[in-house]
């Protein structure tokens, strides 16, 4: 998926079992990459883009993702759009979803205390408090916020690494008002999608993030002109 993934297992299990669990997570993430990559010519997404694969002929996971993207398109008023760039690209959903699934698999296998980080997407599970740093959007060696997360998800979307890669579907141009958006909540799939949608909304992303607090998703955002905003429920570490 074009990023490095880190996995920390904190349960007291034999080393061999832990290696097997990590191998399962890596196997799942490689499977996701092979199916959903927009860079690999033989992925199902690439084949669907070329018209070589129909909805009925694709894997159930791809059908799930397409349905979920459609639901989020409606929920966000069109700002979460897997077709914003002109062709199918579900990457804004897939990374968070795949890590959330990986975390659920670890918990089901008897490893309930763990951390998985994939780029700006993090799933921290268990009854311990995980300290998570949010990168400063201009100074890579500094943090904008330090969070304390217990059994939750953190997703950050921004322009500071990949430039204007998120399109505002209203304008057809790369979103440029917000430099960094972080969403914290119970589910990484939704936290990631909400962060992407807020970034795509430009200035309208700030009131959108405020509304998410009622659903248990709290946020932090930095604008291109250096203003910082946080929701009252953001779990800032003491």
């Amino acid at each position: 998926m074009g990023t490095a993934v880190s996995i920390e297992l904190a349960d007291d299990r034999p080393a061999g079992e832990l290696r097997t669990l990590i191998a399962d997570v890596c196997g799942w993430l490689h499977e996701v990459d092979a199916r959903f990559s927009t860079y690999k010519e033989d992925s199902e997404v690439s084949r669907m883009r070329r018209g070589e694969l129909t909805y009925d002929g694709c894997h159930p996971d791809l059908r799930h993702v397409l349905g979920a993207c459609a639901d989020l398109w409606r929920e966000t008023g069109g700002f979460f759009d897997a077709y914003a760039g002109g062709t199918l690209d579900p990457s804004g959903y897939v990374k968070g979803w795949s890590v959330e699934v990986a975390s659920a698999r670890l918990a089901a296998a008897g490893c309930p205390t763990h951390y998985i980080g994939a780029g700006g997407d993090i799933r921290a599970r268990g009854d311990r408090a995980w300290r998570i740093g949010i990168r400063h959007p201009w100074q890579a060696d500094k943090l904008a916020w330090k969070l304390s997360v217990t059994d939750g998800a953190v997703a950050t979307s921004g322009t500071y690494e990949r430039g204007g890669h998120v399109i505002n579907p209203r304008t057809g141009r790369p979103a440029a008002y917000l430099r960094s958006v972080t969403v914290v909540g119970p589910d990484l799939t939704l936290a990631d999608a909400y962060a992407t949608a807020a970034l795509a909304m430009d200035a309208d992303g700030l009131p959108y993030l405020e509304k998410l607090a009622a659903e248990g998703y709290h946020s932090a955002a930095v604008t291109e002109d250096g203003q910082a905003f946080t929701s009252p429920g953001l779990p800032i570490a003491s």
Side-chain angles (χ1 to χ4, degrees):
M1 292 181 283
T3 190
V5 176
S6 59
I7 306 166
E8 179 179 344
L9 308 183
D11 292 293
D12 186 13
R13 301 278 296 274
E17 291 184 14
L18 295 176
R19 284 194 293 268
T20 298
L21 290 169
I22 289 177
D24 176 74
V25 169
C26 292
W28 159 248
L29 295 176
H30 283 297
E31 177 186 335
V32 169
D33 188 49
R35 179 164 296 119
F36 292 95
S37 173
T38 58
Y39 302 101
K40 296 179 178 179
E41 291 296 317
D42 60 346
S43 74
E44 288 195 18
V45 166
S46 294
R47 291 167 59 205
M48 184 169 277
R49 283 170 138 184
R50 296 193 298 267
E52 299 170 2
L53 183 67
T54 65
Y55 176 86
D56 291 336
C58 67
H59 191 277
D61 283 349
L62 180 51
R63 290 199 294 271
H64 162 77
V65 166
L66 293 174
C69 287
D71 290 342
L72 284 162
W73 181 83
R74 289 186 287 269
E75 180 183 336
T76 62
F79 281 98
F80 185 90
D81 189 352
Y83 295 88
T87 187
L88 175 63
D89 184 358
S91 303
Y93 180 89
V94 167
K95 185 151 66 77
W97 164 75
S98 64
V99 173
E100 183 68 34
V101 171
S103 175
R105 288 170 71 138
L106 283 173
C111 187
T113 310
H114 59 260
Y115 168 106
I116 306 175
D121 293 343
I122 295 165
R123 185 61 164 95
R125 195 181 287 263
D127 58 5
R128 61 172 282 185
W130 297 86
R131 293 177 67 87
I132 297 170
I134 306 302
R135 208 198 93 166
H136 192 289
W138 280 280
Q139 302 176 60
D141 61 340
K142 291 183 171 56
L143 297 177
W145 290 279
K146 296 177 183 178
L147 306 180
S148 178
V149 177
T150 301
D151 200 10
V154 180
T156 299
S157 185
T159 62
Y160 51 83
E161 281 193 342
R162 297 171 57 194
H165 66 289
V166 174
I167 303 298
N168 181 330
R170 296 285 192 274
T171 65
R173 296 190 297 271
Y177 182 81
L178 295 172
R179 187 168 179 86
S180 175
V181 175
T182 296
V183 175
V184 182
D187 183 276
L188 182 56
T189 308
L190 292 178
D192 190 17
Y194 292 158
T196 301
L199 191 70
M201 291 177 187
D202 283 315
D204 290 335
L206 293 175
Y208 170 74
L209 290 169
E210 289 182 17
K211 294 178 182 177
L212 291 177
E215 301 175 26
Y217 289 85
H218 302 284
S219 58
V222 180
T223 63
E224 275 292 344
D225 62 0
Q227 299 181 74
F229 300 86
T230 61
S231 65
L234 190 72
I236 296 176
S238 56

